[in-house]
Amino acid sequence: MPEDDLSRSSHSNPGKSLVNGIKTNPASNSPKSSFSVPVGPPVYVDLAYIPNHCSGKNTDPEFFKRVRASYYVVSGNDAANGEPSRAVLDALLEGKSQWGDNLQVTLIPTHDTEVTREWYQQTHEKQQELNIMVLASSSTVVMQDESFPACKIEF
């Protein structure tokens, strides 16, 4: 990075500096992870929406170790931007394998994509072992000039 770009970067981010291209807090002088999760026990919820259209930018195995849901909603229909991310779907398997109990989990994709189909087929045995069910919706909701797949969830 040219020196001019570096100086602009530090002026636009007061209190932050770059170490090997990673923003750091001068007080700690250690790189920040984009996956920083506070220390604490797992959180159990009925329904969780996987952040950022199931992009690998904000979700890793630690998310699934800590956010334990009966239902995870997976959106994303933009293969060019890595949505949904195969790495995130694999992270679900890795994270759930650390739960220590075999609670049923239902994965609800909002779109039928090549990534989710391939992941489903290639990891089906692991999904069964971990008690993960993937829903495929054959229902359609029609609103005004738009129609889209739908799922009914009962608690």
Side-chain angles (χ1 to χ4, degrees):
M1 177 186 289
E3 191 170 314
D4 292 338
D5 290 344
L6 184 58
S7 65
R8 271 194 301 254
S9 167
S10 22
H11 291 299
S12 65
N13 263 336
K16 303 270 184 191
S17 61
L18 293 175
V19 174
N20 295 328
I22 300 172
K23 292 179 187 175
T24 62
N25 182 336
S28 69
N29 205 23
S30 64
K32 280 191 170 187
S33 167
S34 61
F35 299 113
S36 60
V37 176
V39 176
V43 176
Y44 292 86
V45 296
D46 289 328
L47 179 74
Y49 178 86
I50 298 177
N52 203 22
H53 303 288
C54 196
S55 166
K57 296 175 187 171
N58 299 65
T59 309
D60 66 348
E62 190 64 27
F63 173 84
F64 295 105
K65 289 177 190 174
R66 299 287 304 283
V67 179
R68 299 180 181 186
S70 298
Y71 299 87
Y72 290 102
V73 176
V74 176
S75 71
N77 193 20
D78 186 359
N81 285 320
E83 299 169 3
S85 166
R86 169 68 189 250
V88 172
L89 298 171
D90 288 339
L92 168 63
L93 298 175
E94 184 180 335
K96 177 129 181 4
S97 70
Q98 302 296 311
W99 288 14
D101 50 29
N102 204 16
L103 300 173
Q104 179 166 344
V105 166
T106 303
L107 187 68
I108 306 167
T110 61
H111 294 87
D112 181 22
T113 67
E114 187 175 331
V115 170
T116 53
R117 274 181 274 142
E118 284 180 3
W119 176 82
Y120 176 80
Q121 291 170 352
Q122 294 170 359
T123 64
H124 189 69
E125 286 181 25
K126 184 73 171 174
Q127 294 166 40
Q128 288 181 320
E129 175 186 317
L130 294 172
N131 203 14
I132 297 173
M133 180 174 62
V134 180
L135 292 183
S137 177
S138 60
S139 301
T140 303
V141 172
V142 179
M143 294 178 66
Q144 297 172 349
D145 296 331
E146 184 179 11
S147 67
F148 47 90
C151 256
K152 179 179 179 183
I153 303 170
E154 293 184 19
F155 295 99

